[in-house]
Amino acid sequence: MRNILVAVDESDAARRAVELALELAGRGGARLTALTVVWPGGAAGIDRTAVPLGEAGPRGRVLGWLERWLAPSLEGRGTGVPVELAAASGLPGIEIPRFAERAAADLVVLGRKRRTLSQRLATGDTADAVGRRSPVPCLFVPAVSAPRLRRVLAALDGTERGWRVYLAARRFADAVGAELRGVTVEPLRDDEASLLAPPVPAGRSLQLAAALERDWPAGGGAGPGLPATACPLTVRRGEPVAQILAEVEAGEADVLAIGYRRGGAPGVIEAGSVARRLAHATPCPVLTEPF
């Protein structure tokens, strides 16, 4: 990760996103750009140019506000992370991925807010909109204390697209020096008896486990200070969202990596795809790999 973009508003979730983005940039030696988006007409004459912090100073009242808002997160960190400030006018769900593509960002970090169903129907959901439009991975950060970034869990389904999730999760884990594990969920069979011995994993799961065993050493090993071992795979059975959330809790995961389909209408999160439900229900940050 060489260029990280963090989206900023006045929320607690945005504050946690900034703190985590600073941590990621510090560990990986990346450049960090903090972007805020205002609604059209909310601030006239916004300067869209990224302004390096510490040079002539941010131009315009929006960038001035952004510098003041960021100050508590930057003070005393001593990370030496280069930080730039930027602002755009428009809809956040459109402008954030547009800016990320124009700036050649490797990762977009943004806060994930808790919204009621009526709020999402009325104003939409920014995290979902960004995830559906972003050409690069996104990291959704909840409004809780910053995680330790010791364990990354990749939700895999054995398909070629699922393998891309594994590769994105591995790159992220290597960059932050975290342990990487995988989880896959098989459907329950109607003819299974609950008191029988644990079922043998399906062929898809066995092939996935073998692929993980082969690829990990070829990928250069684990992150700093971690042994070069294969990525362990846990096989669960049942409803995917419930089982993946259970594995997040059981494995004390600090980040969950999932695939996120680009495009499509906003819809209702509760009735939407597995990925969209996980992105909003997972208690830890969620890393999305765009399909």
Side-chain angles (χ1 to χ4, degrees), residues 154-166 182-186 202-212 214 233 291:
L156 309 172
D157 62 5
T159 65
E160 182 177 349
R161 291 187 307 179
W163 190 251
R164 288 170 53 186
V165 176
Y166 163 70
V183 61
T184 191
V185 180
E186 297 178 356
R204 174 185 66 85
S205 299
L206 293 176
Q207 292 175 355
L208 177 58
L212 295 178
R214 289 193 306 269
L233 178 69
F291 288 155

Side-chain angles (χ1 to χ4, degrees), residues 6 8 14-15 18-19 22 32-35 53 63-75 77 83-86:
V6 58
V8 173
R15 181 71 68 186
V18 167
E19 293 171 355
L22 285 167
L32 180 64
T33 300
L35 169 71
L53 198 64
L63 291 178
W65 168 85
L66 180 56
E67 183 179 36
R68 293 189 298 273
W69 189 91
L70 285 172
S73 296
L74 297 174
E75 290 174 357
R77 293 187 62 88
V83 180
E84 295 180 341
L85 308 180

